[in-house]
Amino acid sequence: QVQLVESGGGLVQAGGSLRLSCAASGSIGSFNAMGWYRQAPGKQRELVAAIIGGGRTNYADSVKGRFTISGDNAKNTVYLQMNSLKPEDTAVYYCNANKIGASSPYWGQGTQVTVSS
């Protein structure tokens, strides 16, 4: 059973930075894709950033140039560096992983990010 554990959320002022971490119970190289999603109150969960096998990355337009996703295979951890945070970035952030052959994607428990104006 794959487990994803997020950490690094918190309260920060607008313009500040946070780094989220997602520690996987297995090798992140075994996943064909990993990503970060977020869900704000009353809104649907949306993709923020993803890293795909081979290192290709995708970002939501709203975070391009501010957020960076990266992975550390030695630590089985994926990071989301968030800079120039805005109040509209406030949400619960979830780590997601997809594995070939798995019936469904894996999710972490979520970590709250709150950006004050």
Side-chain angles (χ1 to χ4, degrees), residues 9-86:
L11 173 64
V12 64
Q13 288 188 331
S17 298
L18 284 174
R19 188 178 78 159
L20 304 184
S21 299
C22 172
S25 58
S27 170
I28 62 174
S30 67
F31 301 116
N32 59 302
M34 294 190 73
W36 288 93
Y37 286 70
R38 68 186 180 188
Q39 187 166 18
K43 294 188 177 181
Q44 289 188 334
R45 191 172 296 190
E46 62 175 356
L47 175 66
V48 176
I51 186 165
I52 301 167
R56 185 163 61 90
T57 56
N58 290 326
Y59 295 94
D61 288 343
S62 59
V63 306
K64 282 180 181 176
R66 299 189 298 123
F67 291 10
T68 303
I69 188 170
S70 62
D72 186 332
N73 289 335
K75 295 183 178 179
N76 294 327
T77 299
V78 172
Y79 303 98
L80 184 68
Q81 178 67 44
M82 305 186 295
N83 299 327
S84 302
L85 283 161
K86 304 176 181 180

Side-chain angles (χ1 to χ4, degrees), residues 8-14 16-18 20 41 82 85-93 111-117:
L11 173 64
V12 64
Q13 288 188 331
S17 298
L18 284 174
L20 304 184
M82 305 186 295
L85 283 161
K86 304 176 181 180
E88 51 263 43
D89 294 318
T90 295
V92 178
Y93 283 71
T111 185
Q112 176 71 47
V113 171
T114 303
V115 184
S116 63
S117 58

